[in-house]
Amino acid sequence: MNPALTPLPRIPQKTLDTSHHNEILGCVAAGSDLESSILQNLSHDVESLSNHLEDEISRMVGNFMEISKINTAQGNFLEQVVKQANSIQVEDKDMNLDEFTDFVTRTFSEIIDLNIFYSKEAMNLVFVLGNVMVQMERVEAMVNKIGVLNSRTNMVAINATIEAVRSGAEGSTFKVVSDELRELAEGINGFAHNLGAEINTIRQGMTESHKIMMRLANKDMIPQMILQEKTERITKNLVKQSQYFSETVTNVMENTIKCKEISKLVSNFQVQDRAKQALEYVTDTMRAFAKRNTLQSHSLEALMGTGGDKQGSEQEAFQALNQGIAALSLEESREKRLRAFLTRGQDGSLKDLVGLNKKENKTFSGEDIELF
Amino acid sequence: MSKVEVTTQSNTKKIALSGHFTAMDHDQFRGILDDLQSGQGCTSCTVDLEHLDFIDSGGLGMLLLLRDACIKQKMALSLNNAKGDVLRILDIAKFDQLFKVVG
């Protein structure tokens, strides 16, 4: 048989007659007093619980409101971070990361193209100057050749003049021609000399230009190109990292918004008000029952007069309560707690009856909660 | 300085570069360009870079001048067997967009 269904031990039956009226009334009055006392204790505890619950929930709601505020601030901050992470300011213009990557790629590509173009044109100029210098050497050789030919012409003119003088009057006409030829050779000689000097100056300039061009062409631009390519790769990686960072922060921001919504939701529950209201109904009901029992006890005492044995009846009432508790077949510690809970605030005899010391006889607090 | 060897097989002129090909090699490379521009009936030109360890911007410039000369002579041009740093430099300079890069 289930222990919870064990019947209460029978109180030995007495033969009832009118002489037992006072005894019965005393018993009922003591029972009412006990019930009244228990109901008052219960209502007091429920009220304490209600107040405690209200305080705790209010504190909890306050905390959630604080969390909501913090989340709002954090959300705004994260929004700024995402905005900053997604754009870069270049020449007073905000660029998003894709635009920035395109910009960097295009810029470095143009720089490399320019380097290649300059390299090609520098070498082209070196070749052109080289060719011109070869041409200049040829021209110089030609001028030298003119000088040689002119010397020979001059020599021929001198010989012609000598022969004309030998010929006497007959050769005078011939002498005029040879003199003219000699003058012409001298003129050409002067011209060739000047031309040679000019060509020499140009050749020196060309040689110097060629040297300068060679120095420029020898300036290797490959290290800069490699550096530019590295910088481009680093920039792209930084942009990738920034995009990853932005996505992460966006996720955090979304979670923060969710937390804020949950906090708001909890803040708006007003569960403490509802719980308090419900518990107030319970305490009001219990108080009403306690009052009714007290009045009932007073009425019965009035009927009994002064000759009733109320003390004895109280003992019996508590015995009946003890038996009732015992019939629940609770564990020992729990049974003790229940007795203490129901009977605290009674006089010394009651405490002895339930077998608890004064320390255990206290009002409800969070520390009294039994953990299972 | 680079060692430059030029050979002709059937209609193809093969230029093999080795060592360091820089602007300092302009004299011998100009000779190759002059020779190419004189026209010897070749229809294609290949530059073998297998044994080339280094190329500077001047070297790149000379390859571009070779390209111009080949275009002028209507000759096909390819850069073959580049590797290591040389291949990387050709890649950075985006030579694959200008030349047929083989190997």
Side-chain angles (χ1 to χ4, degrees):
Chain A
M1 181 182 270
N2 189 338
L5 299 175
T6 307
L8 286 169
R10 275 180 185 277
I11 300 169
Q13 282 196 337
K14 293 178 183 177
T15 308
L16 296 174
D17 55 29
T18 52
S19 64
H20 292 115
H21 283 175
N22 274 355
E23 195 180 338
I24 293 164
L25 289 171
C27 228
V28 175
S32 290
D33 278 348
L34 182 62
E35 279 178 22
S36 176
S37 169
I38 288 168
L39 285 169
Q40 277 176 356
N41 286 341
L42 283 172
S43 65
H44 177 260
D45 284 341
V46 170
E47 192 177 7
S48 296
L49 173 66
S50 170
N51 291 335
H52 181 72
L53 203 63
E54 188 184 16
D55 289 347
E56 290 297 318
I57 294 175
S58 293
R59 198 177 308 141
M60 187 181 78
V61 167
N63 286 340
F64 272 108
M65 283 171 79
E66 191 64 27
I67 290 171
S68 177
K69 272 186 200 169
I70 291 167
N71 282 337
T72 305
Q74 195 174 344
N76 293 338
F77 172 69
L78 290 174
E79 202 175 346
Q80 288 296 317
V81 170
V82 170
K83 201 175 166 189
Q84 289 288 325
N86 277 330
S87 68
I88 292 166
Q89 204 174 35
V90 181
E91 294 171 350
D92 299 330
K93 187 182 164 192
D94 279 337
M95 281 187 181
N96 67 37
L97 291 182
D98 289 336
E99 284 174 339
F100 180 71
T101 309
D102 286 347
F103 172 74
V104 168
T105 306
R106 205 170 53 245
T107 304
F108 283 127
S109 180
E110 282 171 5
I111 292 170
I112 288 172
D113 286 350
L114 208 59
N115 283 344
I116 296 293
F117 172 77
Y118 284 138
S119 300
K120 179 188 165 188
E121 292 308 318
M123 289 315 299
N124 202 10
L125 203 52
V126 167
F127 286 173
V128 169
L129 286 175
N131 284 336
V132 170
M133 280 173 70
V134 170
Q135 295 291 332
M136 290 300 291
E137 280 170 10
R138 284 180 193 161
V139 170
E140 211 169 17
M142 286 175 188
V143 170
N144 288 337
K145 186 80 176 173
I146 289 170
V148 172
L149 291 173
N150 200 45
S151 294
R152 284 177 65 187
T153 307
N154 196 34
M155 192 60 72
V156 169
I158 288 168
N159 288 338
T161 304
I162 291 167
E163 288 302 320
V165 171
R166 275 188 191 168
S167 302
E170 287 177 359
S172 61
T173 319
F174 194 59
K175 184 178 177 294
V176 172
V177 174
S178 65
D179 285 345
E180 282 294 319
L181 193 64
R182 204 170 57 181
E183 273 180 33
L184 192 62
E186 280 172 3
I188 289 171
N189 196 37
F191 174 75
H193 184 264
N194 289 339
L195 187 65
E198 290 295 328
I199 286 171
N200 191 41
T201 307
I202 292 170
R203 193 174 59 83
Q204 282 176 0
M206 294 304 292
T207 306
E208 195 58 33
S209 301
H210 189 259
K211 280 181 186 172
I212 292 168
M213 255 345 281
M214 271 312 295
R215 281 205 296 273
L216 288 175
N218 274 325
K219 284 283 173 198
D220 187 13
M221 286 190 269
I222 295 293
Q224 282 79 9
M225 284 162 63
I226 290 173
L227 199 66
Q228 283 155 6
E229 192 257 353
K230 268 186 187 173
T231 311
E232 187 184 339
R233 271 194 287 141
I234 289 167
T235 308
K236 281 181 178 175
N237 283 340
L238 283 173
V239 166
K240 264 187 193 171
Q241 280 184 359
S242 184
Q243 280 169 337
Y244 175 73
F245 172 71
S246 174
E247 282 170 15
T248 308
V249 173
T250 304
N251 287 339
V252 173
M253 194 169 75
E254 283 170 4
N255 289 337
T256 305
I257 290 167
K258 280 178 192 165
C259 285
K260 192 175 92 175
E261 283 167 0
I262 291 168
S263 299
K264 264 189 176 176
L265 208 64
V266 172
S267 304
N268 292 334
F269 267 167
Q270 295 183 328
V271 69
Q272 74 275 30
D273 293 340
R274 288 177 195 158
K276 190 172 171 63
Q277 213 171 33
L279 290 170
E280 275 174 359
Y281 287 136
V282 174
T283 53
D284 288 348
T285 308
M286 285 191 290
R287 280 187 182 133
F289 272 108
K291 187 75 181 168
R292 189 203 67 134
N293 282 354
T294 305
L295 291 172
Q296 182 178 289
S297 175
H298 290 166
S299 300
L300 292 170
E301 280 168 18
L303 277 173
M304 281 160 56
T306 53
D309 183 11
K310 198 182 170 208
Q311 287 298 319
S313 300
E314 278 179 356
Q315 291 292 333
E316 283 182 15
F318 282 120
Q319 269 181 6
L321 177 65
N322 270 333
Q323 285 168 351
I325 292 169
L328 295 175
S329 299
L330 299 169
E331 281 181 9
E332 188 184 353
S333 60
R334 196 163 173 187
E335 187 180 314
K336 277 184 181 177
R337 278 188 173 275
L338 181 59
R339 281 180 182 161
F341 183 73
L342 292 175
T343 61
R344 75 180 162 224
Q346 303 300 320
D347 57 19
S349 61
L350 176 63
K351 283 169 193 162
D352 289 341
L353 183 73
V354 294
L356 292 168
N357 59 34
K358 204 173 181 176
K359 275 184 186 172
E360 290 172 291
N361 195 15
K362 53 189 177 186
T363 53
F364 176 85
S365 76
E367 293 167 359
D368 295 327
I369 295 168
E370 188 177 2
L371 299 174
F372 296 95
Chain B
M1 290 284 280
S2 173
K3 188 180 171 190
V4 183
E5 282 180 10
V6 184
T7 52
T8 306
Q9 285 178 345
S10 58
N11 289 330
T12 302
K13 191 173 279 292
K14 185 181 172 186
I15 303 166
L17 302 176
S18 59
H20 288 203
F21 185 49
T22 66
M24 297 301 288
D25 297 307
H26 70 280
D27 267 341
Q28 54 180 335
F29 203 79
R30 191 179 59 188
I32 293 169
L33 283 184
D34 290 344
D35 184 37
L36 201 75
Q37 281 166 343
S38 67
Q40 289 184 339
C42 287
T43 54
S44 65
C45 178
T46 62
V47 182
D48 187 5
L49 305 173
E50 187 177 2
H51 300 292
L52 190 67
D53 302 319
F54 176 78
I55 185 166
D56 74 350
S57 53
L60 294 181
M62 286 190 279
L63 289 180
L64 287 168
L65 291 174
L66 177 67
R67 176 176 174 267
D68 286 353
C70 284
I71 290 171
K72 206 170 176 183
Q73 295 296 322
K74 295 183 176 147
M75 288 170 72
L77 174 65
S78 65
L79 303 180
N80 295 359
N81 307 319
K83 59 187 180 183
D85 287 342
V86 174
L87 182 62
R88 190 181 168 211
I89 289 165
L90 295 182
D91 188 44
I92 291 171
K94 294 180 283 184
F95 266 34
D96 56 327
Q97 295 175 16
L98 303 170
F99 294 83
K100 183 182 176 189
V101 179
V102 181

